[in-house]
Amino acid sequence: MVRVVLATHNRHKAAEFQQILGDAVPGLEIVGYDGPEPVEDGVTFAENALIKARAAAARSGLPALADDSGICVDAMGGAPGIFSARWAGRHGDAEANLRLLLDQLADLPDGARAGHFTATLALVTPEGATTVVEGVWPGRIAREARGAHGHGYDPIFIPEGHEATAAELGPDAKNVESHRSRAFAAIVPALRELVAAG
């Protein structure tokens, strides 16, 4: 087994990555990270993912994988973007973030509510080799929150080709279409190379 450290203290996320990537990349073991969290002072999803992956690789001596993701609204110049998790001022207050974004978009007509979710994955080896991939899920912002099968901004995001919000879609649809699933699919070749190299 080739071990890759996931640059997060969230054990649930590590298990989720193992489940998704382990099936696609036999011989891969995703392990949790116990080091200090670096300051994410990048200005893009890719920069922040690389900061986390480089710190985890340097501390663990293992290849490291990190993600950064968020929602981007066209009419707001791509905001909240990298600030998605703390848009209302406090990190991780999903309900406040969602309410603030809806308030900010209240006057926008339906035709001007385009946006997308972005997920970026960075893979960094202890030797410094890097791979960065991105998954984008286009859609638009709803006028009110709907659905109970999601988290974060899922209840106000209507994916392209749907009338339901991401929180109203079942997990099967999300696992095929979402920004994360697209990023996972894009990182698989690099992870297979890593496992093949032993």
Side-chain angles (χ1 to χ4, degrees):
M1 296 290 278
V2 170
R3 299 169 77 215
V4 172
V5 64
L6 182 64
T8 180
H9 291 135
N10 183 334
R11 298 296 173 194
H12 171 72
K13 185 180 275 191
E16 177 192 12
F17 272 56
Q18 177 64 52
Q19 181 181 356
I20 295 168
L21 293 172
D23 289 344
V25 188
L28 176 72
E29 181 186 2
I30 301 289
V31 297
Y33 174 62
D34 60 3
E37 292 190 15
V39 175
E40 294 177 47
D41 55 4
V43 297
T44 65
F45 293 118
E47 287 177 10
N48 284 332
L50 279 168
I51 287 168
K52 290 184 280 189
R54 285 179 174 135
R59 181 171 177 93
S60 68
L62 296 170
L65 189 61
D67 73 315
D68 201 41
S69 60
I71 193 166
C72 306
V73 180
D74 293 5
M76 295 174 64
I82 61 169
F83 304 110
S84 294
R86 54 187 182 277
W87 191 237
R90 195 166 69 248
H91 192 281
D93 190 342
E95 184 63 30
N97 291 336
L98 187 150
R99 279 198 314 270
L100 176 58
L101 186 58
L102 281 182
D103 288 347
Q104 291 170 323
L105 300 178
D107 296 335
L108 273 186
D110 290 346
R113 300 176 73 89
H116 59 274
F117 271 123
T118 295
T120 300
L121 290 172
L123 177 65
V124 175
T125 68
E127 296 77 33
T130 62
T131 302
V132 178
V133 299
E134 184 178 81
V136 175
W137 198 14
R140 66 186 193 279
I141 311 303
R143 294 201 165 273
E144 59 185 16
R146 305 192 315 256
H149 302 295
H151 54 82
Y153 296 93
D154 286 359
I156 63 169
F157 180 73
I158 302 172
E160 194 173 80
H162 294 276
E163 290 305 318
T165 68
E168 292 175 310
L169 294 178
D172 290 345
K174 285 177 67 174
N175 288 344
V176 170
E177 297 182 37
S178 78
H179 51 306
R180 285 194 177 86
S181 67
R182 296 174 193 210
F184 281 137
I187 201 71
V188 161
L191 290 169
R192 284 180 176 158
E193 276 185 34
L194 203 62
V195 170

